Amino acid sequence: MTDTLVHRGPDGEGHVALEGCGLGHRRLSIIDLEGGRQPLSNEDESVWITFNGEVYNFLELRPDLESRGHRFRTHSDTEAIVHLYEELGARVPEKLRGMFAFAIWNTRDRSLLIARDRAGKKPVYWFEDAEGIYFASEIKALLTLPNCPREIDPESIDLYLTYQSIPGTKTIFNGVHRLPPASRLVWTGESAKIETYWQADWVRKTDLSYDDAKIRLRELIVDATKARLISDVPLGAFLSGGVDSSAVVSAMAEVSSAPVKTFSIGFPNRDFNETQYARMVAEKFGTQHEEFIVEPDAMEILPKLVWHYDQPYADSSALPTYYVSRMTRQRVTVALNGDGGDEYFGGYERYRALLMHGLYSSLTTSGIRSLTEKATSWLPEGVQNRSLARKIRRFARASQCTPDKFNLSIFAYFDAEARQQMYSDEFRARLGNHSADDYLLRLMTDGWDNPRKADLVDRVLRSDTLMYLPDTLLVKVDVASMAVSLETRSPLLDTSIMEFAASLPRTWKVGAFSSKKILKEAHHGILPYEILYRRKMGFSVPLSHWFQGELHGYIREILLDSGSLARGYFKREVIERLIDDHKAGRRNNAFRLWALLMLELWHRQFADQGSNDK
């Protein structure tokens, strides 16, 4: 199992065989390079841990633990978790500040505790059978076991094609589970018991004034960034030139005694190149900045990405994330990033569209909205991602939905109607009454005493932090960075900032014509105006051009291959129409085609040939 995870820990490995339990570990050395080897135990070897991640407050925890009689043999953060467990038992993750996934075996009562950090930065996959429970950081490690479930779950395919990744506790394999963020699993030889130990409170709002909240937000960002600078190896930051990564770099520059190392990648296509903005921030803060211009080679990189992601995964920004991670790893072992800013502070255009939908619905009748949809359906959509006609058509079509379903319609890769048209009769029968739509719709109402009275955008922000952020974006960064043995840290996902952001009124974050209001205004005079108020570009690759050009023949060959169609998921004529409409420029199907491509390539590498074929 650990041999499959060498990329996550190239600096060493460890194994321990205990009565009733075996633990393994691959190490990426960050803190206490000599003494932090794992699995690691307490003084009498009654408690053992295997741990992935970083605990940033371990130096603060240590004095109290020592005063209680605990003896430390290392200077690592891992040992603090072991001794804290001796004091708190299963409550230990509640006291940890950091990103983590760990398993602790208690030899006295033969119990296992597995826990994940609050945001969901570090992953845990697991399954159990009559013989016991099995867990790992990646599914491919579990697949080395002959008893690992390998039956493909049709509901997971439905979820994947809706949300671009498989959300929640499900995986592509029926019987293999993912532990949710902010959760702990306790196993005592019978069945696994899972509970949530933390959640942000989106209902109760702050008593601070707006001006005081701006000051407090900046203080929290600086403090969270400073905490993440602890390292015994070279450290730097991703810098895209967007607000989030620039805010982190500005905080790094404020608390660092040496120049910050920053890294950006760009592409020859100007529509996908942000390096000029990253350069502007680097010059502002005097960083040691490096730019890498890459020409994405999908044919070369796709097999690697499919292998590393373990499951079908359709966020195409995994490509540039992998490239920037690979380039950065040539210089440093740890990189800070701006993950979490969009979800907690309202950075997506979709949030503003929700407000416009509410206004539009209040000013028009259903008849007018129906006529508008018919009128806009004649607009030529084209294949440009930022096509105004495409946005108008999509908005008009979704405008007849309820607010919750409007959000789902804008979010989904394939909506329910498109999926039903695409699925074969056989596959629809396998799905039965399952609908992937229910997952997000349920998330948008859970956790609210009266969802209809709660602010709609607040509800969407909360659901994005529970699904889109951990299940798509954090998976993307964790896998892409760990593929090249680079550790990434996210100051904006510090517990203090997540809780503070949830307590802020929606109007301080998102308006009909504004996004990330308080985050931007907290950095007035710190970040250049052009950085704060430029148009959001996103971290993407030119999929639309690829599928009209160099990859058109490739995707047609893959998706219409007899072996692909023989899986029985889709109707050939619908897949062919998606390809042809995109090629002809009638409709931008780039993201849908990418999702279908990644699904088929996953089958060929994992379902057809096994997990060890890179």
Side-chain angles (χ1 to χ4, degrees):
M1 292 174 72
T2 54
D3 284 348
T4 66
L5 303 177
V6 172
H7 50 283
R8 282 188 173 265
D11 299 330
E13 67 177 322
H15 308 91
V16 62
L18 305 165
E19 185 178 354
C21 180
L23 297 176
H25 186 262
R26 291 293 323 189
R27 189 177 186 212
L28 177 62
S29 301
I30 305 292
I31 295 173
D32 192 4
L33 306 186
E34 296 300 321
R37 297 182 182 89
Q38 297 183 51
L40 184 148
S41 72
N42 62 346
E43 300 93 329
D44 64 4
E45 297 190 347
S46 62
V47 175
W48 287 84
I49 187 172
T50 180
F51 163 62
N52 174 31
E54 300 290 345
V55 173
Y56 306 122
N57 63 334
F58 77 99
L59 291 176
E60 301 161 29
L61 295 169
R62 184 165 174 154
D64 180 64
L65 291 168
E66 288 176 326
S67 72
R68 295 172 182 270
H70 297 279
R71 299 191 310 275
F72 283 75
R73 293 169 293 170
T74 76
H75 299 287
S76 71
D77 54 341
T78 310
E79 193 172 7
I81 305 174
V82 173
H83 294 309
L84 194 62
Y85 171 83
E86 291 182 278
E87 294 290 329
L88 300 177
R91 291 178 50 227
V92 62
E94 299 169 25
K95 299 297 182 181
L96 301 179
R97 182 186 192 184
M99 56 177 186
F100 52 82
F102 63 78
I104 294 177
W105 176 250
N106 187 325
T107 64
R108 292 195 179 100
D109 62 8
R110 296 170 65 89
S111 66
L112 180 74
L113 168 68
I114 306 176
R116 275 187 83 191
D117 63 78
R118 294 165 180 81
K121 286 274 292 176
K122 289 300 174 184
V124 178
Y125 297 92
W126 64 280
F127 72 91
E128 59 181 335
D129 60 17
E131 299 300 318
I133 188 169
Y134 313 82
F135 57 91
S137 294
E138 297 183 6
I139 294 175
K140 67 175 67 68
L142 297 175
L143 290 172
T144 65
L145 302 171
N147 58 328
C148 181
R150 285 170 168 79
E151 177 190 358
I152 293 175
D153 182 359
E155 293 183 3
S156 291
I157 293 177
D158 192 39
L159 287 162
Y160 162 75
L161 291 171
T162 306
Y163 302 118
Q164 69 185 295
S165 64
I166 300 170
T169 60
K170 278 182 172 287
T171 73
I172 189 65
F173 296 110
N174 196 4
V176 177
H177 314 285
R178 176 167 49 198
L179 186 66
S183 295
R184 55 182 161 232
L185 179 155
V186 176
W187 185 84
T188 56
E190 297 178 358
S191 59
K193 179 182 178 182
I194 298 174
E195 63 180 11
T196 300
Y197 66 83
W198 173 89
Q199 58 182 340
D201 185 352
W202 290 80
V203 176
R204 185 177 179 181
K205 298 305 180 182
T206 183
D207 294 328
L208 292 175
S209 69
Y210 182 72
D211 288 339
D212 287 342
K214 287 191 298 182
I215 295 170
R216 181 58 179 153
L217 175 57
R218 174 66 184 173
E219 291 172 346
L220 290 173
I221 292 174
V222 172
D223 177 69
T225 301
K226 184 178 181 180
R228 282 158 178 76
L229 297 183
I230 185 168
S231 174
D232 293 332
V233 294
L235 179 148
F238 293 157
L239 180 58
S240 69
V243 174
D244 305 332
S245 66
S246 299
V248 170
V249 168
S250 72
M252 291 176 73
E254 181 174 327
V255 299
S256 299
S257 57
V260 177
K261 295 181 174 68
T262 54
F263 306 92
S264 303
I265 64 166
F267 305 104
N269 188 324
R270 289 185 60 188
D271 291 340
F272 299 88
N273 194 335
E274 295 184 285
T275 53
Q276 60 176 321
Y277 299 107
R279 202 177 307 128
M280 185 183 301
V281 176
E283 291 173 356
K284 166 79 173 177
F285 297 104
T287 73
Q288 294 180 0
H289 186 62
E290 293 191 60
E291 293 178 3
F292 309 99
I293 303 299
V294 297
E295 182 72 63
D297 185 345
M299 300 293 285
E300 182 265 338
I301 209 71
L302 274 178
K304 293 181 181 177
L305 289 181
V306 171
W307 187 82
H308 279 292
Y309 277 90
D310 284 348
Q311 303 193 78
Y313 183 83
D315 186 344
S316 62
S317 63
L319 274 80
T321 303
Y322 173 82
Y323 280 120
V324 73
S325 297
R326 188 171 69 179
M327 300 297 185
T328 300
R329 185 62 176 89
Q330 297 172 10
R331 303 290 190 269
V332 299
T333 310
V334 179
L336 275 64
N337 62 37
D339 287 352
D342 284 322
E343 294 74 27
Y344 275 97
F345 293 97
Y348 298 127
E349 196 172 68
R350 176 164 45 96
Y351 305 139
R352 301 195 301 277
L354 281 163
L355 295 176
M356 294 178 66
H357 170 264
L359 179 62
Y360 179 68
S361 297
S362 67
L363 296 177
T364 58
T365 64
S366 60
I368 292 175
R369 292 194 291 274
S370 178
L371 288 172
T372 303
E373 179 187 352
K374 292 177 182 178
T376 57
S377 66
W378 295 97
L379 289 172
E381 183 174 313
V383 296
Q384 298 300 320
N385 288 337
R386 298 189 179 93
S387 163
L388 179 60
R390 178 171 178 261
K391 291 179 180 179
I392 292 174
R393 281 184 55 167
R394 198 170 186 188
F395 182 92
R397 183 180 182 192
S399 66
Q400 301 207 67
C401 301
T402 64
D404 288 18
K405 290 188 176 181
F406 175 87
N407 176 60
L408 174 65
S409 177
I410 297 297
F411 187 89
Y413 268 36
F414 289 90
D415 62 23
E417 181 182 350
R419 298 195 308 275
Q420 287 301 306
Q421 291 176 352
M422 181 172 63
Y423 292 157
S424 67
D425 293 342
E426 173 195 350
F427 191 65
R428 284 204 303 269
R430 290 178 63 190
L431 284 174
N433 294 326
H434 177 266
S435 173
D437 293 5
D438 295 339
Y439 186 86
L440 180 56
L441 293 174
R442 187 170 57 250
L443 269 186
M444 291 183 64
T445 56
D446 287 351
W448 302 93
D449 293 334
N450 191 334
R452 292 188 177 185
K453 290 187 177 181
D455 185 273
L456 173 63
V457 176
D458 243 7
R459 291 199 289 118
V460 175
L461 287 168
R462 180 181 181 274
S463 67
D464 280 354
T465 66
L466 295 175
M467 185 187 78
Y468 184 50
L469 178 64
D471 297 337
T472 299
L473 300 185
L474 297 185
V475 168
K476 172 187 67 181
V477 176
D478 174 72
V479 173
S481 60
M482 285 285 95
V484 296
S485 309
L486 176 74
E487 177 175 289
T488 55
R489 300 175 178 177
S490 308
L492 298 184
L493 291 176
D494 192 85
T495 305
S496 65
I497 295 176
M498 293 190 292
E499 291 177 341
F500 185 71
S503 78
L504 300 177
R506 186 270 303 166
T507 54
W508 291 8
K509 292 180 280 191
V510 182
F513 302 100
S514 64
S515 61
K516 297 184 185 175
K517 179 183 177 183
I518 192 168
L519 182 62
K520 292 175 179 178
E521 294 189 6
H523 289 85
H524 277 181
I526 299 173
L527 295 178
Y529 182 87
E530 296 90 334
I531 299 301
L532 293 174
Y533 295 105
R534 72 181 180 88
R535 183 178 184 180
K536 184 177 178 63
M537 183 176 290
F539 203 35
S540 56
V541 289
L543 286 185
S544 294
H545 301 298
W546 287 356
F547 291 146
Q548 281 191 308
E550 61 260 43
L551 290 187
H552 172 71
Y554 172 72
I555 197 167
R556 190 176 184 88
E557 176 186 344
I558 293 291
L559 296 185
L560 298 179
D561 176 75
S562 58
S564 304
L565 295 171
R567 301 191 194 284
Y569 299 149
F570 311 122
K571 298 175 183 175
R572 176 191 174 94
E573 62 271 19
V574 177
I575 304 300
E576 193 165 18
R577 185 164 63 247
L578 287 169
I579 297 170
D580 292 345
D581 282 352
H582 187 86
K583 174 67 173 177
R586 289 187 289 269
R587 189 175 183 192
N588 185 348
N589 289 321
F591 295 111
R592 299 180 185 91
L593 292 174
W594 183 260
L596 294 170
L597 175 63
M598 297 303 284
L599 177 63
E600 175 56 26
L601 293 179
W602 176 87
H603 275 81
R604 295 186 180 195
Q605 189 155 139
F606 282 87
D608 297 348
Q609 299 180 22
S611 64
N612 293 319
D613 185 9
K614 276 191 191 180

